[in-house]
Amino acid sequence: MGDKTRALISILKLQPVVPVLVIKDLAHAVPLARALVAGGLKAIEITLRTPVALEAIRAVADEVEGAVPGAGTVLNAEQYHQAVDAGSQFIVSPGTTQELLDVARKSTVPLLPGAATASEVMALREEGYEVMKFFPAEQAGGSAYLKSLSSPLAGAMFCPTGGITPDNARDYLALPNVICVGGSWVAPSALVEAGDWDGITRLATEASRLSA
């Protein structure tokens, strides 16, 4: 197991649920991250889906003690470099391209690459990846599909993301090839817009206690 794989696993094992955030207002980034960390969710994925995403990562990296910020929805080498420069400690992609594999190989910051089929998983294993994002989890076959991969693709570990809720998270977390899940329910937009950080801490606390 390589150093980057060990680093990624140590981050993903911090908690059963990695919050997947779409931050539209930069002013929300720091209090939102503090609320999540207070609830026990230290590793935080901030997706590059908004104009303020990179600045949000930078703010969380600089100002939120205990937070381990990562960048999600990273699609190319330029975004990878920008995310690392902003302070991301891990990078998440919805799928995988040769460009991403090339930049990840040269970077000290680990990549959690996306895969949804057995062939994609096998290709990533050939590239040395042991931990992958299973995306979009529910739409790609859910926990039953992922369970069916555990025997023929033994050794591959997953962070399922996409359609994960408090109702089905335990189904995924019970699988032998799941290290954690990604979910957006811990930071619903209504609570974020209202600045209800205590409410988000409560949701984060509940999520941090999820297990098989």
Side-chain angles (χ1 to χ4, degrees):
M1 185 184 297
D3 291 343
K4 283 190 283 190
T5 299
R6 276 191 287 269
L8 181 59
I9 289 175
S10 69
I11 291 170
L12 298 179
K13 281 189 171 180
L14 287 172
Q15 61 220 37
V17 180
V18 175
V20 180
L21 309 181
V22 179
I23 296 179
K24 299 177 182 178
D25 185 341
L26 183 57
H28 291 153
V30 168
L32 173 55
R34 285 178 176 154
L36 292 167
V37 171
L41 304 184
K42 297 180 179 180
I44 299 168
E45 177 187 335
I46 298 174
T47 61
L48 302 189
R49 300 181 194 176
T50 67
V52 301
L54 288 168
E55 285 307 307
I57 292 169
R58 193 181 308 278
V60 171
D62 291 344
E63 301 178 40
V64 183
E65 184 176 356
V68 182
T73 322
V74 173
L75 306 178
N76 54 51
E78 182 182 11
Q79 289 181 332
Y80 203 116
H81 289 305
Q82 289 173 334
V84 171
D85 289 343
S88 298
Q89 295 186 39
F90 63 103
I91 303 293
V92 186
S93 64
T96 313
T97 66
Q98 193 59 51
E99 181 183 357
L100 278 175
L101 293 174
D102 290 344
V103 69
R105 190 176 297 113
K106 298 173 184 175
S107 177
T108 58
V109 177
L111 170 66
L112 179 66
T117 68
S119 294
E120 290 170 352
V121 173
M122 290 169 65
L124 284 167
R125 292 294 297 275
E126 287 184 358
E127 292 284 341
Y129 286 89
E130 299 175 40
V131 188
M132 292 152 245
K133 171 180 177 173
F134 177 54
F135 177 83
E138 281 292 282
Q139 295 83 352
S143 57
Y145 176 86
L146 201 52
K147 182 179 181 180
S148 71
L149 296 182
S150 62
S151 181
L153 298 175
M157 297 294 292
F158 299 93
C159 172
T161 305
I164 312 292
T165 69
D167 296 325
N168 62 20
R170 282 190 175 87
D171 295 336
Y172 286 95
L173 292 168
L175 299 179
N177 56 347
V178 167
I179 191 169
C180 64
V181 300
S184 58
W185 81 85
V186 292
S189 57
L191 294 188
V192 174
E193 293 300 326
D196 187 355
W197 312 124
D198 289 340
I200 288 173
T201 294
R202 283 192 294 273
L203 290 174
T205 301
E206 291 169 5
S208 70
R209 294 171 179 165
L210 282 172
S211 60

